[in-house]
Amino acid sequence: MGIARTRAIALVGIDAVVVDVEGSIIDGTPGLHLIGLPDTDRNEIRDRVRAAILNSDQQFPHRHIAVSLFPVSLPKHGSVFDLAIAVAVLAASGTIPAQACASMALIGELGLDGQVRPVHGVLPAVLAAVDAGVSVVVVPQANAAEASLVPGIDVIGVTSLGRLIAQLRGMPPPDEGGDDPHDSYHPTAHPAIGLPGDLDLAQVRGQAGGREAVEVAAAGGHHLALVGPVGTGAVMLAERLPGLLPDLDHDTALEVTALHSLAGLLPPDKPLIVRPPSRAPHHTDPRGAVLGARTSRTVHPGAVALAHRGVLFLDDAPEFAVQTLKSLARLLEDGTVTVSGAEGIVTFPARPIAVLAARPCPCGAPDAQACTCPPGVRQRYLARLPRSLLDCVGIKVRLTPAAPAELRRDLAAAESSRRVADRVQAARDRAARRLAETPWRTNAEIPGPELRCRFTPPARAAAILDAALTGGQLTPGGLDQVLRLAWTLADLAGSTAPSPEDITAAVRLWGGFSEPLNS
């Protein structure tokens, strides 16, 4: 008996840190003493580990057992340390060889019966283990497929502490009497929200301008605002936007999957998310559900982070709390969302395409004559959308009820999502080649100073900008948004630089509301 060492992983938001777990058995008051964990977690883990060891037909040492998790000052929460602590105790007592667990990291929650239960956040934890040089990681069997997404590390999936002990001792696994009831369990409350494949853009009839706006938003990653009465197709357009986006590349897919893993929302049959996610929080949801929430032990990503590299749809946007909308404006500019929790300040990546849908007034009447809202209510309704948020939105479209002629024309003219998605993919490929030596992936991400210095349009196109500024069609604050849109339109057209026509179209998309929504 003496000292045994192994490793665990502590999650701090989407980041993870390798924790050294040291177990020692010495003379003193019998009991398991845990160092480096909060009081509540210490008591719970102590009881789970002791029961799991005894119910795995192993002797629990009747000695003074000290287990330290280093660095002690690092915030550590949750049951993810159960398996590493139990193995450290067993290795210190000589039940398993100390060298067998010294080079591995262990992740998993223990049931009182010794079963190893799945946990959240396995993907970011394994990524951190690889970065720290760990070569072997032990995870719950239900999380093994998720852990195996990370190259360069051997993954051992286990269903029970007894089986892991046998494996570390080089012995046959014990007969545990049938299938483990947790083999098929996965901590998934809801799958990562996706959309059915039968949502086709051609189904949105009579809204050619809306379909164009959705295509440009998808091609350049631009935020989009759709304002129109009930029945004009804002929701239909927003629902079809994710289907126009290209598949995620491998690095982005891992980043998106890590966020959903942390939230416990990975589809059990698809551990890697390859399609851009979509989230649609309701205006009655609490602020934490939209922006991220903290509990007494941990921080959870909200809808904005879970829509990273996908679509965030806010239907009835003026109904959301004003402070939530103001916070949304700030994080859409930064591309990150920050939440304060017990472990300090946690930052999640958050670069979705935001789609704001709103009616012109609370009743959503097709025109002012049919509106039943008092004039003051109608004026104040859209004014609930903060100017700071609208300044982040590159494309603004007013939707009006379609005329019969428009509906007839769209029977032949409306293009399918597949055809539009092909154009979007081609446009993104052109942008990617242009931005290859930069940290940005889409035109919407290019900062204003870089946009004006490195991506200036030709002189003829720039003259259109000057005229729009002089004529009041364009404000200085909208200049950068129009430039970004113009580059996206050029990419869609297969051009190497924006043309005067692209600038004119970009000004129209940016100033799509015939009058300002608010002052």
Side-chain angles (χ1 to χ4, degrees):
M1 298 184 184
I3 295 179
R5 295 179 175 85
T6 189
R7 281 173 283 190
I9 312 291
L11 286 170
V12 183
I14 197 173
D15 299 318
V17 179
V18 175
V19 173
D20 293 321
V21 182
E22 296 181 331
S24 177
I25 298 180
I26 58 177
D27 293 331
T29 304
L32 176 57
H33 302 270
L34 303 176
I35 305 166
L37 287 168
D39 289 343
T40 302
D41 283 356
R42 272 203 302 266
N43 296 334
E44 293 179 356
I45 292 175
R46 182 188 299 119
D47 292 340
R48 283 199 302 270
V49 167
R50 186 176 186 277
I53 290 176
L54 291 173
N55 287 319
S56 298
D57 297 327
Q58 305 298 320
Q59 292 294 321
F60 191 84
H62 191 65
R63 302 281 299 279
H64 184 93
I65 311 165
V67 178
S68 175
L69 283 72
F70 178 85
V72 174
S73 60
L74 180 73
K76 295 179 284 292
H77 303 276
S79 58
V80 68
F81 304 104
D82 288 5
L83 193 58
I85 291 172
V87 168
V89 170
L90 292 168
S93 68
T95 302
I96 58 177
Q99 67 274 14
C101 61
S103 62
M104 62 175 50
L106 299 105
I107 306 166
E109 174 185 306
L110 286 173
L112 298 182
D113 57 356
Q115 299 297 322
V116 179
R117 299 174 182 269
V119 293
H120 299 170
V122 165
L123 180 57
V126 177
L127 287 168
V130 171
D131 291 342
V134 175
S135 58
V136 180
V137 63
V138 178
V139 301
Q141 182 62 46
N143 295 124
E146 178 186 345
S148 298
L149 296 173
V150 182
I153 193 167
D154 292 330
V155 175
I156 300 175
V158 294
T159 59
S160 70
L161 179 60
R163 286 177 176 264
L164 177 59
I165 293 170
Q167 185 166 349
L168 294 176
R169 295 173 67 181
M171 300 173 62
D175 183 5
E176 296 178 341
D179 295 335
D180 172 29
H182 303 293
D183 273 353
S184 59
Y185 173 80
H186 193 278
T188 301
H190 301 284
I193 293 179
L195 292 167
D198 58 353
L199 293 176
D200 198 289
L201 196 60
Q203 297 166 339
V204 186
R205 301 287 174 82
Q207 295 295 347
R211 296 196 303 272
E212 177 199 18
V214 168
E215 178 178 349
V216 176
H222 307 284
H223 305 309
L224 171 65
L226 301 167
V227 175
V230 174
T232 50
V235 174
M236 293 180 68
L237 288 166
E239 288 177 338
R240 283 148 181 81
L241 175 55
L244 305 182
L245 299 177
D247 288 345
L248 304 174
D249 61 53
H250 184 69
D251 290 343
T252 305
L254 285 178
E255 188 176 41
V256 170
T257 302
L259 285 164
H260 287 80
S261 171
L262 191 64
L265 296 174
L266 281 185
D269 56 336
K270 295 179 181 178
L272 182 66
I273 297 176
V274 296
R275 288 293 304 153
S278 177
R279 308 295 294 188
H282 194 263
H283 61 79
T284 59
D285 291 342
R287 174 186 172 91
V290 180
L291 304 179
R294 65 178 182 267
T295 64
S296 59
R297 298 190 182 188
T298 188
V299 172
H300 301 282
V304 180
L306 293 174
H308 178 56
R309 298 298 178 186
V311 176
L312 175 72
F313 177 41
L314 303 185
D315 193 14
D316 291 328
E319 301 287 351
F320 283 78
V322 173
Q323 288 304 315
T324 298
L325 295 175
K326 288 182 177 179
S327 297
L328 178 63
R330 184 171 60 253
L331 65 91
L332 289 178
E333 285 286 340
D334 296 341
T336 60
V337 57
T338 300
V339 185
S340 298
E343 59 263 55
I345 296 176
V346 175
T347 300
F348 300 110
R351 284 204 177 275
I353 296 175
V355 181
L356 313 179
R359 294 164 291 176
C361 64
C363 75
D367 52 51
Q369 288 72 29
C371 178
T372 59
C373 302
V377 171
R378 186 178 179 91
Q379 292 172 3
R380 290 192 299 269
Y381 185 66
L382 290 179
R384 289 174 54 85
L385 294 175
R387 172 53 60 187
S388 58
L389 179 57
L390 289 176
D391 286 344
C392 298
V393 177
I395 304 173
K396 307 175 184 71
V397 178
R398 279 197 185 273
L399 302 174
T400 57
E406 293 176 300
L407 295 173
R408 288 194 302 271
R409 183 167 58 248
D410 273 356
L411 289 175
E415 295 180 295
S416 68
S417 287
R418 172 47 52 204
R419 186 169 180 179
V420 175
D422 289 341
R423 285 201 300 269
V424 168
Q425 179 69 70
R428 288 220 173 190
D429 290 343
R430 294 185 186 97
R433 289 192 292 271
R434 185 173 62 252
L435 302 174
E437 303 301 322
T438 74
W440 314 301
R441 301 188 180 197
T442 62
N443 293 322
E445 297 175 34
I446 306 173
E450 295 288 340
L451 188 71
R452 294 187 292 272
C453 293
R454 299 176 59 177
F455 301 101
T456 55
R460 288 183 59 236
I464 303 294
L465 283 175
D466 294 340
L469 284 167
T470 303
Q473 297 169 284
L474 180 63
T475 64
L479 177 62
D480 292 341
Q481 294 285 11
V482 168
L483 281 174
R484 296 183 184 106
L485 286 169
W487 276 105
T488 298
L489 291 167
D491 291 333
L492 283 167
S495 305
T496 57
S499 66
E501 292 76 18
D502 293 329
I503 296 291
T504 301
V507 171
R508 172 177 54 80
L509 288 170
W510 177 81
F513 300 141
S514 57
E515 67 273 352
L517 291 182
N518 52 46
S519 57

